[in-house]
Amino acid sequence: NYVISVGAINVKGMSEFTDGVVQKTDQGVSGAPTLINVSSDNPTQVCVIFTEAAAINQNGLINSYLFNLTNPELSQPYNRICLITNSSCFTRLSDNSIRICYSGVEDGVVYMVSLRAINGAGLGVASDVIEVMTSGAPPTTPPFTDADVMTTTTSTTITLIIPYITTSFLNSDPINYLVQFKGFLYLDNLFQSSRKRRQSSNVVIYTTEVVEKSIPYTEDRTIILLDLLPNYQYHVNVSIQTAAYGQTSSVTIVLPTLDATAPTGPPVHVSAVPVPTPSGDSQLSLQVSFENNFTTLNGELDSFSIFYQIEGSIEQHIKFDPMQDIGPYQETISDLLPNSEYTISIIIETAQGNSDRSTPVTSITHPLSM
């Protein structure tokens, strides 16, 4: 900053000076561009999207930008000045951010990219540096296999957990999952409600439209497809979009959705017998046995609830999570009263709802051993 004042001079001498006026000389841009994204959509071009420095830090009209690309193996860095009036390199986007592209770089090279704004006084402050690898083609092999994907399904949703993919494989950071899926209704699925479906017939009687989604890549690597149709087989194609070169080749995962109805039949062949109690042991138990009716299950088995009570007392229940899909099952009810008759019934629990109760059975616990 300069303080300027003026005085007059004649042959008799100098007058007093005027009051001083502060005048600031021109200077370069004191704020740096903020880089949002750096990408390479073809082998010989790098593009950067950024926001310009705040107006208070521009110190005059910005007329151009210096695009700088460096690599330790290059003897000379790539430098290009892009005038804001040059539409071949400069584009102002709808959200007021700016895109500048540099052509003529080498394929398959990692570059360190930075920007500086330029005004009438010279260069401004450099932006942060972002790394990008130029490449024009995705890997020739898929990033994972269908067997690597963890899956869960309901009647209207499919959840996929994608395995971790290294940046060295992708040559860049992942941005989005690109998902394409289509549903198929098979003739067999109309008449077979068990989740243990057999595709004995390949007759397709209906297909859905193909749906495409772009889902942001997250650290938990989870994809959830919603609003699906029950009892359909879905073919899901998944690829990964990267910052450097586009999308990878896709992987196909085939999954059925579950039936939408609750179980239409309860557990069968329910029985209960007292458990022998060692002498002096006051812990009395009943062992309950039962089977599951898979022809009426209509979905994926979650658990069973076993209800028991003495006549005139409050009903109690325990939840039983089966270790296998096919019975028969056995579970022990403990802490019962001696020489008492218990009434027992069971329900099936699935994601679609619960079955009716099984036909009640009764069993009498042993008396206390002396």
Side-chain angles (χ1 to χ4, degrees):
N1 293 329
Y2 289 89
V3 179
I4 301 174
S5 60
V6 179
I9 303 175
N10 62 18
V11 294
K12 294 185 178 180
M14 179 181 293
S15 71
E16 294 183 356
F17 283 93
T18 64
D19 293 336
V21 176
V22 177
Q23 180 65 44
K24 184 178 181 180
T25 57
D26 290 339
Q27 65 179 30
V29 182
S30 59
T34 301
L35 303 191
I36 300 173
N37 182 48
V38 178
S39 62
S40 176
D41 296 328
N42 67 59
T44 60
Q45 185 183 68
V46 172
C47 294
V48 58
I49 297 176
F50 64 96
T51 56
E52 57 194 355
I56 194 173
N57 296 321
Q58 293 183 12
N59 304 320
L61 179 67
I62 292 176
N63 55 50
S64 56
Y65 284 90
L66 175 66
F67 198 124
N68 178 262
L69 294 91
T70 60
N71 179 286
E73 297 180 2
L74 300 177
S75 57
Q76 294 292 332
Y78 287 99
N79 288 308
R80 176 180 178 179
I81 293 178
C82 176
L83 297 175
I84 63 173
T85 56
N86 185 353
S87 60
S88 66
C89 65
F90 182 95
T91 305
R92 187 173 292 276
L93 304 178
S94 59
D95 62 357
N96 210 37
S97 61
I98 298 170
R99 181 176 64 225
I100 290 180
C101 293
Y102 186 111
S103 298
V105 295
E106 298 180 32
D107 183 16
V109 175
V110 176
Y111 289 100
M112 311 302 291
V113 181
S114 64
L115 280 178
R116 291 174 181 259
I118 303 174
N119 64 11
L123 282 172
V125 179
S127 70
D128 291 336
V129 176
I130 294 183
E131 179 181 297
V132 66
M133 180 173 183
T134 55
S135 178
T140 56
T141 57
F144 51 87
T145 69
D146 59 338
D148 298 325
V149 180
M150 296 178 61
T151 64
T152 56
T153 59
T154 70
S155 60
T156 58
T157 66
I158 289 176
T159 301
L160 310 174
I161 301 179
I162 307 300
Y164 175 75
I165 310 299
T166 62
T167 302
S168 60
F169 177 88
L170 298 173
N171 295 327
S172 181
D173 292 327
I175 298 176
N176 296 310
Y177 292 113
L178 303 179
V179 182
Q180 182 186 81
F181 59 94
K182 182 176 182 177
F184 298 82
L185 179 61
Y186 287 88
L187 181 63
D188 277 4
N189 288 16
L190 290 179
F191 304 103
Q192 188 176 353
S193 59
S194 168
R195 77 180 186 130
K196 303 294 183 180
R197 296 190 181 100
R198 303 182 305 274
Q199 291 300 329
S200 59
S201 171
N202 290 323
V203 178
V204 177
I205 61 174
Y206 189 78
T207 62
T208 67
E209 297 292 330
V210 175
V211 178
E212 296 183 349
K213 291 182 178 292
S214 178
I215 301 174
Y217 181 92
T218 58
E219 290 300 321
D220 61 8
R221 306 184 305 281
T222 299
I223 297 172
I224 302 177
L225 307 181
L226 304 173
D227 301 324
L228 306 180
L229 295 174
N231 216 13
Y232 271 62
Q233 186 181 93
Y234 279 86
H235 293 214
V236 184
N237 296 322
V238 181
S239 60
I240 299 176
Q241 182 182 18
T242 68
Y245 54 76
Q247 70 187 77
T248 66
S249 51
S250 64
V251 176
T252 301
I253 303 121
V254 179
L255 288 169
T257 51
L258 304 181
D259 298 314
T261 57
T264 54
V268 294
H269 305 144
V270 179
S271 64
V273 296
V275 177
T277 305
S279 177
D281 192 345
S282 62
Q283 297 297 316
L284 298 174
S285 305
L286 292 174
Q287 186 175 74
V288 180
S289 302
F290 58 97
E291 295 181 16
N292 192 12
N293 189 348
F294 275 103
T295 62
T296 61
L297 184 57
N298 299 333
E300 183 172 2
L301 174 63
D302 286 338
S303 58
F304 299 93
S305 280
I306 303 175
F307 296 84
Y308 59 98
Q309 71 177 132
I310 300 174
E311 184 176 357
S313 67
I314 297 175
E315 186 179 66
Q316 302 178 71
H317 80 279
I318 60 172
K319 186 179 290 291
F320 170 54
D321 296 321
M323 299 299 294
Q324 71 275 357
D325 294 331
I326 301 175
Y329 304 101
Q330 289 186 336
E331 179 66 357
T332 300
I333 307 173
S334 302
D335 298 326
L336 304 180
L337 297 176
N339 201 28
S340 300
E341 184 180 75
Y342 282 84
T343 300
I344 298 165
S345 61
I346 306 172
I347 64 171
I348 303 168
E349 299 171 334
T350 73
Q352 288 71 45
N354 300 337
S355 72
D356 294 330
R357 292 201 185 197
S358 63
T359 302
V361 298
T362 60
S363 183
I364 300 175
T365 55
H366 287 301
L368 283 178
S369 300
M370 302 303 294

